[in-house]
Amino acid sequence: MARDSESSTYPPSIGLIYVFNLIVGTGALTLPAAFANAGWIISLCVILALSAISYMTLTFVVESMAAANAIARNKRSKLLSKKESMERLNSGQEDSDSSTSSSPTKSLLERVKVRKKRSSHRNSGIYSAIMQSEDEDHHQSSAINGTSDIVLLSPPNDLEECDIQETIEMGKLASMFFNSVGSVLFFVCITIYLYGDLAIYGAAVGKSLRDTACTYFPIDVPCNETLNGTVACWEGYDLSRDNAYRLFLSIFVTVIGAFGFFNVQKTLFLQILTGIVRWTAFIAMIVLACIRLLSSPKEDQGHPSVANINGLPNLFGACVYSFMCHHSLPSLLTPISPKRGLYKLLALDYILIAGFYLLLGFTGIFAFPHLEDLYTLNFVPNRCPHGPSGNFTATVLAVVVPEEAVSMAQQILFYFLTLFPVFTLSTSFPIITITLRNNLKQLFLRKDEADYSFFVRRLLFPLLALIPPTVLAIVTSDISFLVGITGSYAGAGVQYVIPALLAFYARRELKKEFPQEQVRNVFASPFKHVCFILFVLLWAGASIGFVTYNHVMANK
């Protein structure tokens, strides 16, 4: 929908912070384990390659948004022009233009006329004189009415019809540029991805709450091993760690998932709060890993392999998942004002993110001999009191806090890092649920929503959004597996295939909508040649095929 006021805009710096925070989410916590499994050289090459390709497809989405804005505005202009012409014919007021020159409708009709005059006089020697006269009239009209559409009166080679002024979500983009089959396939792909997203969120929260609450650690189990799910959660109680995980997962989905039945939004305060928590946690993990590298013996540090092809599928899925922002770009980028140099700023964002991921992952794989699939769990100070993990944390904290406060600082660090995914995902989980609920409605409802019963409108689709991912998270708590599958298949579709196809069909539709005008898309991707689109599609196909082959061979 269109933005109604300037209060809904924000400067580029704020917009890019939002993009940065969206991309660098909890998915980054799966990267160190994926790096360790695949080897450091493969991890370095893959993350750099995927960040570059992800940026390329990001520019495809932005270009499609701009083209959709131009097409939507032009269709409205034509519709309004036709409606006004019919009203004139019915009322017999053929000369009403002179008496209504200051009305907004007249201003819009003048712009339509200017567009037509451009095409008819494009090769005429009097074109510039006509345009100069029209420009002077429209400048006066705009000053009176407060409009800002002067850009439509620029010379033909500088037309900027494609300014991004309205938030046109990816579902609407698919409906505009794809046929009915393509639109359905888009919704199926985005739905599968969101299901995987919710399952990952649920598993991350369930494991974090379990490892926070469960205190029993058998003395005969090495500290660098992950505890079996059958081990008791508390000493002397029959509740196993697996059952504790399912219990906490069910409580989380019941309490937080309930917001999926309503319409909720993140407040600015909540965004700022979760942003502070996120960056405090990430910086703390990087600093602690660096201290461990400098202070612990080499035998207690990590010794990752150079390359391990068997770890590539999960690495690919984790990297795709960790660079995902494409499905939220319309709502994030549209309010940015001004948008000059947008691609350069987004490129800077991607460079910083890739560097941050490498810093987080490489400090992790060289600092720890064993990495949990959720990186925060490696910093739990008291998970193994008799081993080096607890001693390391206490040693680090003793450097910065008084000796008598080390124990309390350990507990604070323990709760903060293990509950970090809970803090951040509790705000994202309802939003993803609502997004999935709305996509399911668009996919299955054929009539107006008001024509359906209360159960269908308010209960059925939230339940359909919540139950399948919850069941999946109950079946498996392996976050690396969930991220690998979600990112490798649905994530590759959302991040690679859909943006490439959107750009291809958007360019074609833009030429159809403006057949006699040289409309310059000011947000055209720097990767304009069709070969880039073909490269992305071939890359996506080859990557999915390679990942599938490795999954099949690994299970034999």
Side-chain angles (χ1 to χ4, degrees):
M1 54 189 296
R3 290 178 285 113
D4 297 323
S5 67
E6 290 297 322
S7 62
S8 62
T9 66
Y10 41 72
S13 57
I14 299 298
L16 294 181
I17 289 174
Y18 284 165
V19 173
F20 195 102
N21 285 339
L22 175 69
I23 296 177
V24 184
T26 310
L29 298 178
T30 65
L31 286 177
F35 279 21
N37 291 332
W40 66 268
I41 190 65
I42 288 183
S43 300
L44 175 65
C45 296
V46 168
I47 200 167
L48 292 178
L50 293 189
S51 64
I53 299 173
S54 179
Y55 173 75
M56 184 187 302
T57 56
L58 175 145
T59 65
F60 290 162
V61 175
V62 177
E63 178 180 348
S64 304
M65 290 162 51
N69 269 258
I71 293 170
R73 281 196 295 271
N74 194 57
K75 288 184 182 295
R76 283 197 296 268
S77 298
K78 288 180 179 179
L79 183 62
L80 189 55
S81 177
K82 182 178 179 180
K83 181 179 179 181
E84 184 69 15
S85 299
M86 293 298 295
E87 290 177 354
R88 287 200 198 117
L89 290 175
N90 293 335
S91 62
Q93 297 178 354
E94 298 291 342
D95 299 322
S96 61
D97 288 353
S98 60
S99 63
T100 61
S101 60
S102 63
S103 68
T105 301
K106 175 63 170 61
S107 177
L108 182 55
L109 287 173
E110 282 179 345
R111 296 197 293 276
V112 176
K113 291 178 182 178
V114 168
R115 190 181 293 115
K116 293 178 179 178
K117 287 182 180 179
R118 284 180 181 162
S119 60
S120 61
H121 293 281
R122 184 147 314 214
N123 297 320
S124 170
I126 62 173
Y127 174 76
S128 59
I130 292 174
M131 291 308 303
Q132 182 178 0
S133 175
E134 293 284 359
D135 283 353
E136 292 173 355
D137 293 341
H138 185 70
H139 273 287
Q140 296 174 358
S141 174
S142 298
I144 294 172
N145 297 306
T147 59
S148 59
D149 294 300
I150 301 174
V151 68
L152 294 176
L153 299 177
S154 304
N157 290 331
D158 294 323
L159 289 176
E160 296 186 354
E161 297 268 9
C162 300
D163 188 22
I164 302 174
Q165 298 176 354
E166 300 179 25
T167 302
I168 302 179
E169 299 289 355
M170 284 192 73
K172 181 63 176 177
L173 293 177
S175 300
M176 291 179 67
F177 299 134
F178 297 160
N179 57 24
S180 58
V181 175
S183 183
V184 169
L185 291 177
F186 163 81
F187 281 110
V188 170
C189 184
I190 195 73
T191 298
I192 294 174
Y193 175 77
L194 293 175
Y195 270 133
D197 227 10
L198 290 177
I200 293 166
Y201 285 9
V205 170
K207 292 185 75 170
S208 298
L209 291 173
R210 178 199 65 188
D211 289 349
T212 302
C214 294
T215 57
Y216 177 63
F217 198 102
I219 196 169
D220 57 338
V221 176
C223 288
N224 61 353
E225 286 189 12
T226 302
L227 288 178
N228 191 288
T230 60
V231 173
C233 183
W234 298 289
E235 188 174 6
Y237 291 86
D238 293 333
L239 183 68
S240 67
R241 290 175 61 86
D242 278 346
N243 288 334
Y245 162 78
R246 298 185 182 103
L247 175 63
F248 290 125
L249 171 63
S250 301
I251 294 174
F252 172 77
V253 172
T254 301
V255 175
I256 303 299
F259 290 100
F261 291 84
F262 309 99
N263 292 319
V264 295
Q265 295 179 343
K266 291 182 181 179
T267 64
L268 180 60
F269 172 76
L270 206 55
Q271 290 177 359
I272 294 174
L273 179 62
T274 56
I276 293 173
V277 171
R278 175 186 291 112
W279 283 108
T280 303
F282 279 128
I283 292 172
M285 286 185 286
I286 291 174
V287 170
L288 288 173
C290 290
I291 294 175
R292 182 181 177 87
L293 279 171
L294 296 174
S295 61
S296 62
K298 287 189 176 182
E299 57 269 19
D300 291 336
Q301 296 178 1
H303 302 281
S305 62
V306 176
N308 178 17
I309 202 70
N310 293 327
L312 193 55
N314 283 344
L315 173 65
F316 178 80
C319 290
V320 169
Y321 189 80
S322 297
F323 281 107
M324 180 67 71
C325 67
H326 300 62
H327 56 326
S328 299
L329 284 177
S331 57
L332 288 175
L333 299 185
T334 302
I336 293 178
S337 180
K339 298 182 176 69
R340 292 187 300 271
L342 184 62
Y343 285 146
K344 292 181 180 179
L345 293 174
L346 289 171
L348 176 62
D349 241 356
Y350 264 71
I351 292 172
L352 292 175
I353 290 168
F356 172 77
Y357 283 166
L358 289 173
L359 180 62
L360 181 72
F362 274 56
T363 54
I365 63 177
F366 286 103
F368 295 97
H370 170 77
L371 284 165
E372 302 284 347
D373 56 357
L374 201 63
Y375 189 43
T376 51
L377 302 182
N378 280 93
F379 297 91
V380 177
N382 62 350
R383 67 178 297 272
C384 185
H386 58 277
S389 178
N391 295 334
F392 156 71
T393 308
T395 302
V396 172
L397 292 174
V399 176
V400 294
V401 299
E403 185 177 351
E404 61 273 11
V406 168
S407 178
M408 181 179 294
Q410 276 188 283
Q411 292 301 314
I412 293 174
L413 183 66
F414 164 69
Y415 285 113
F416 176 72
L417 289 180
T418 54
L419 292 177
F420 159 66
V422 180
F423 295 144
T424 57
L425 296 182
S426 293
T427 59
S428 301
F429 193 88
I431 306 302
I432 300 297
T433 303
I434 292 171
T435 303
L436 177 56
R437 179 197 72 189
N438 293 338
N439 276 283
L440 290 173
K441 285 182 178 181
Q442 293 185 47
L443 184 61
F444 291 110
L445 296 185
R446 295 290 177 254
K447 298 183 292 184
D448 187 83
E449 188 174 333
D451 296 334
Y452 293 89
S453 65
F454 175 82
F455 174 77
V456 173
R457 287 185 289 111
R458 300 298 300 273
L459 300 178
L460 177 61
F461 287 97
L463 291 174
L464 289 176
L466 286 170
I467 293 176
T470 303
V471 172
L472 179 60
I474 288 175
V475 171
T476 177
S477 62
D478 188 343
I479 298 175
S480 295
F481 171 77
L482 291 173
V483 169
I485 295 297
T486 302
S488 298
Y489 295 100
V494 174
Q495 190 169 153
Y496 299 144
V497 178
I498 291 173
L501 294 178
L502 281 176
F504 177 79
Y505 286 108
R507 294 170 186 175
R508 192 171 70 174
E509 291 298 321
L510 194 63
K511 291 181 180 179
K512 287 183 180 179
E513 188 68 25
F514 301 93
Q516 297 179 337
E517 298 185 18
Q518 294 179 345
V519 175
R520 183 173 67 92
N521 190 338
V522 293
F523 292 102
S525 169
F527 311 97
K528 297 178 182 179
H529 201 280
V530 70
C531 288
F532 287 108
I533 293 178
L534 293 176
F535 165 74
V536 171
L537 294 176
L538 290 174
W539 166 268
S543 300
I544 291 173
F546 178 76
V547 167
T548 303
Y549 173 79
N550 275 273
H551 278 304
V552 172
M553 295 302 296
N555 293 327
K556 283 188 176 181

